[in-house]
Amino acid sequence: MEQTLLIYNTLHRQKERFEPINAPHVGMYVCGPTVYGDPHLGHARPAITFDILFRYLKHLGYKVRYVRNITDVGHLEHDADEGDDKIEKKARLEQLEPMEIAEYYTRRYHQAMEAMGVLPPSIEPHATGHILEQQELVQQILDNGFAYESNGSIYFDIEKYNEKYHYGKLSGRTLENIKDASRDLSGVGEKKNQADFALWKKASPEHIMRWHSPWSDGFPGWHCECTAMGRKYLGSHFDIHGGGMDLVFPHHECEIAQATASQGDDMVKYWMHNNMITINGQKMGKSLGNFITLEQFFTGNHESLSQPYSPMTIRFFILSAHYRSTVDFSDEALQASQKGLERLMDGISNLDRITVSDKCDAQTEEFVKTFRQKCYDAMNDDLQTQVVISLLFEACHLVNNLVDRKATICADCLKELSDTMHLFAEELLGLRLAASGGSAAREEAFGKVVDMVLELRSKAKAAKDWATSDQIRDALAAAGFEVKDTKDGAVWKLAK
């Protein structure tokens, strides 16, 4: 059955039917990390959110070009376009080259994303590799009369732009309240208007990262890179631009202004934004100093954590809420996610323990008949991953009843149930559900060894050699396994 996907467009503040500009091709750009520190939970949410969209669009048959950038220059500490470049500041503190910092933390980001099952984008451009494209963008805006030079720096002229277009249409802000919010910012002396933002900054003598330009030796403003790289790899009009809700203003608002000022209209059809992860109601982020790195989650090495949490637990935690809702972090919430993930793992594992009957009972048949489309309906409704998870839990409940022979299922229905659970849990939600780490071949061998040991225990019990039977059970328990005797034989799993 053909699926109709609805996505929430921040620009129009409503859900809209997804219709690509040039179907079956889809262009998607997502703002990536600024690589001056270890990735934290706040980085994980947009990466996982748009990984789900990437997976689902491909599943629907679209040919997706997914671009996610690396910001390795020009991201200053303040929206006033003043202060230190964050990467350069870190480089001075650690007495390293800025690109050493960027390369090191880019690798760390990739490792964390891979651990959480985030697929790599089609293209991952770096800001420093696209200085010429950014200079070309700045020149186009200058040529069209929407920017001006001041002491070697180039600033976007918001008032001039607003005479013809609408600055603030994405965020819903007016030019006046943007001006009011900008009154106390430093660096106003070079600007016509406090709210004007830098397209190109003249480098101070001590600034390390600099490039030659027609205006000065300097570096691009933060907002330029995404506009320039999005256009380079996806064209002057593309389908989706995504990122965290904290980027709506000023970053994405400035992107719209830059694109429109340079080419006459916005490049993007659908603007999508995930909401924030908070701690005690406050946004989690490096600049606020309240973040927990992903490595700290994986090792448990943080005062707010009672234990380590696997990368898949973090992914499950993020997917257990809709991407546009706020998620408040707590250790208790992660413990609940760990138990939920284990329940899902057990349910899918137990599919192999179901005894097939000649026919299904009525309730089982009805559930299986509607299960797949209900999951699709949830995904089609702006990626309601939390609803998909609740449906998967319903399927796990059915699986347990089938294992305990409280319900019956035929071979065709069992195949449909199994295929749907694997499709949505693993392929589309991206949850790796194997009980142990490593390759599939190693996991299979691992399971065979445990099964062999349990077979020896079964033979010992049949021979009424209770001492050997208990010894095997106790040895498995000491090694971290739970063994449960059922009427169909012993089953095992890793201890919680």
Side-chain angles (χ1 to χ4, degrees), residues 478-493:
F481 297 93
E482 285 183 8
V483 177
K484 182 180 179 182
D485 292 310
T486 72
K487 59 187 176 183
D488 295 320
V491 294
W492 63 272
K493 62 182 178 180

Side-chain angles (χ1 to χ4, degrees), residues 173-213:
R173 304 185 185 208
T174 66
L175 186 58
E176 286 309 309
N177 64 38
I178 291 169
K179 284 181 182 178
D180 289 342
S182 307
R183 288 197 196 286
D184 295 331
L185 297 178
S186 60
V188 171
E190 290 187 346
K191 304 179 184 181
K192 291 181 181 179
N193 188 300
Q194 299 98 312
D196 292 349
F197 59 90
L199 298 172
W200 184 266
K201 283 291 291 181
K202 180 180 180 180
S204 58
E206 68 275 9
H207 203 95
I208 306 168
M209 300 175 81
R210 60 173 69 212
W211 289 265
H212 181 67
S213 80

Side-chain angles (χ1 to χ4, degrees), residues 102-403:
E103 183 64 28
Y104 175 78
Y105 287 113
T106 299
R107 283 200 215 105
R108 301 275 286 177
Y109 177 78
H110 287 157
Q111 289 164 1
M113 294 304 109
E114 183 178 3
M116 292 188 300
V118 174
L119 300 175
S122 314
I123 303 172
E124 191 174 55
H126 291 229
T128 53
H130 297 78
I131 300 297
L132 291 178
E133 288 84 356
Q134 294 176 76
Q135 290 181 354
E136 181 181 358
L137 172 68
V138 174
Q139 189 62 58
Q140 288 170 344
I141 296 171
L142 274 169
D143 291 345
N144 290 340
F146 296 110
Y148 57 90
E149 182 177 353
S150 179
N151 297 326
S153 294
I154 307 297
Y155 292 100
F156 191 94
D157 192 332
I158 288 181
E159 283 198 333
K160 186 72 176 293
Y161 174 84
N162 211 51
E163 290 172 5
K164 184 174 182 180
Y165 302 108
H166 177 198
Y167 184 81
K169 66 179 184 178
L170 182 68
S171 61
R173 304 185 185 208
T174 66
L175 186 58
E176 286 309 309
N177 64 38
I178 291 169
K179 284 181 182 178
D180 289 342
S182 307
R183 288 197 196 286
D184 295 331
L185 297 178
S186 60
V188 171
E190 290 187 346
K191 304 179 184 181
K192 291 181 181 179
N193 188 300
Q194 299 98 312
D196 292 349
F197 59 90
L199 298 172
W200 184 266
K201 283 291 291 181
K202 180 180 180 180
S204 58
E206 68 275 9
H207 203 95
I208 306 168
M209 300 175 81
R210 60 173 69 212
W211 289 265
H212 181 67
S213 80
W215 319 290
S216 64
D217 281 0
F219 54 95
W222 167 37
H223 310 301
C224 288
E225 62 181 280
C226 292
T227 305
M229 294 189 292
R231 183 157 60 189
K232 179 179 176 68
Y233 294 109
L234 299 174
S236 57
H237 297 92
F238 58 89
D239 300 294
I240 298 167
H241 195 317
M245 198 167 284
D246 57 331
L247 297 178
V248 171
F249 186 87
H251 186 48
H252 290 164
E253 196 74 76
C254 292
E255 277 200 67
I256 290 176
Q258 290 171 160
T260 306
S262 63
Q263 67 180 37
D265 59 358
D266 186 15
M267 298 189 297
V268 180
K269 185 174 182 181
Y270 302 96
W271 285 92
M272 295 181 68
H273 297 90
N274 63 274
N275 214 321
M276 299 295 98
I277 292 179
T278 59
I279 298 181
N280 299 322
Q282 186 180 37
K283 175 197 163 188
M284 178 184 288
K286 285 197 189 88
S287 60
L288 298 170
N290 66 346
F291 65 96
I292 303 174
T293 69
L294 293 174
E295 183 179 8
Q296 287 172 325
F297 280 107
F298 303 159
T299 62
N301 185 26
H302 191 279
E303 60 185 12
S304 299
L305 304 174
S306 63
Q307 64 180 75
Y309 293 98
S310 73
M312 284 299 107
T313 298
I314 302 301
R315 186 179 182 98
F316 188 87
F317 169 68
I318 289 171
L319 295 179
S320 296
H322 188 244
Y323 77 90
R324 286 193 290 113
S325 66
T326 302
V327 177
D328 198 50
F329 158 80
S330 70
D331 190 62
E332 292 76 18
L334 281 178
Q335 289 181 16
S337 291
Q338 179 175 285
K339 290 176 182 175
L341 180 61
E342 288 167 352
R343 179 181 166 197
L344 183 55
M345 289 170 62
D346 289 346
I348 289 181
S349 176
N350 286 338
L351 284 164
D352 294 334
R353 297 177 53 213
I354 293 172
T355 302
V356 174
S357 300
D358 291 335
K359 63 178 183 178
C360 300
D361 63 71
Q363 278 187 308
T364 299
E365 186 174 21
E366 179 62 23
F367 178 85
V368 173
K369 186 169 69 174
T370 60
F371 178 37
R372 183 183 292 255
Q373 190 55 49
K374 283 181 177 179
C375 289
Y376 273 126
D377 290 345
M379 290 296 288
N380 290 335
D381 185 17
D382 195 32
L383 308 178
Q384 299 276 353
T385 56
Q386 80 286 2
V387 176
V388 175
I389 288 173
S390 70
L391 290 165
L392 288 168
F393 282 158
E394 288 183 39
C396 289
H397 179 70
L398 172 60
V399 168
N400 291 337
N401 283 342
L402 290 167
V403 169

Side-chain angles (χ1 to χ4, degrees), residues 421-432:
M421 291 183 77
H422 281 286
L423 169 64
F424 283 92
E426 296 179 293
E427 182 180 331
L428 297 181
L429 295 189
L431 296 165
R432 290 194 291 260

